[in-house]
């Protein structure tokens, strides 16, 4: 499957809240789908405003960072507090099969969708058969 060879999970990627940076970070859930000539990443970023999303691609690494604003100060005491507040952060190692100059993103209702087009050289193509 191409997605397994195109994206490599970081060996030290946590499965819960990330503690390697100051403050609390969470690893957002991501679905990766191969659609013909591109890979599509669908990332959950609940509570993140579009202006607070940073997506960077550098040296074969794609990083997603969503900043979450703190809760309103008027909440004095919770009867139950299960919702953790912190930023979202996730990185992927991307192979050379992706055309980095054409990566683009959409954001709607807490879901970030990244489109990673494949380079022309690896796109499937139909070979015409000539009759002689």
């Amino acid at each position: 499957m191409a997605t397994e060879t195109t994206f490599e999970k970081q060996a030290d990627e946590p499965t819960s809240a990330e503690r390697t940076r100051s403050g609390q970070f969470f690893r957002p859930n991501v679905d990766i789908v191969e659609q013909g000539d591109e890979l599509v990443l669908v990332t959950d970023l609940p509570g993140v405003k579009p202006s607070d999303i940073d997506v960077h691609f550098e040296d074969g690494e794609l990083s997603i960072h969503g900043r979450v604003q703190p809760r309103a100060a008027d909440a004095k005491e919770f009867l139950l507090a299960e919702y953790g507040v912190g930023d979202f952060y996730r990185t992927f190692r991307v192979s050379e099969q992706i055309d980095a100059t054409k990566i683009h993103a959409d954001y709607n209702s807490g879901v970030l969708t990244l489109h990673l087009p494949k380079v022309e050289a690896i796109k499937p193509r139909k070979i015409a058969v000539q009759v002689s």
Side-chain angles (χ1 to χ4, degrees):
M1 189 160 143
T3 55
E4 291 175 3
T5 59
T6 304
F7 284 92
E8 303 167 10
K9 277 183 86 172
Q10 301 293 334
D12 58 348
E13 244 183 0
T15 56
S16 60
E18 186 175 298
R19 306 266 185 232
T20 58
R21 294 167 183 83
S22 63
Q24 186 162 348
F25 281 77
F26 294 96
R27 193 180 124 229
N29 292 327
V30 175
D31 290 333
I32 302 173
V33 179
E34 186 169 10
Q35 295 182 338
D37 58 354
E38 72 175 356
L39 297 178
V40 178
L41 275 78
V42 180
T43 308
D44 290 333
L45 297 175
V48 178
K49 294 178 186 174
S51 60
D52 291 334
I53 299 173
D54 289 322
V55 179
H56 286 84
F57 183 82
E58 186 175 350
D59 295 329
E61 187 171 279
L62 178 72
S63 64
I64 301 166
H65 180 202
R67 288 178 298 285
V68 177
Q69 300 301 319
R71 289 188 195 165
D74 57 89
K76 305 227 184 302
E77 186 175 321
F78 292 98
L79 295 176
L80 176 66
E82 294 181 340
Y83 180 80
V85 177
D87 292 355
F88 293 98
Y89 188 78
R90 186 88 185 254
T91 61
F92 295 92
R93 173 71 53 207
V94 179
S95 79
E96 302 80 34
Q97 297 174 353
I98 298 301
D99 187 347
T101 63
K102 295 182 181 176
I103 294 174
H104 63 280
D106 303 310
Y107 185 72
N108 187 19
S109 301
V111 178
L112 175 68
T113 304
L114 290 164
H115 299 269
L116 289 83
K118 296 177 185 176
V119 294
E120 290 294 325
I122 67 152
K123 287 182 183 178
R125 62 184 182 103
K126 184 169 175 69
I127 308 298
V129 177
Q130 300 295 323
V131 178
S132 30

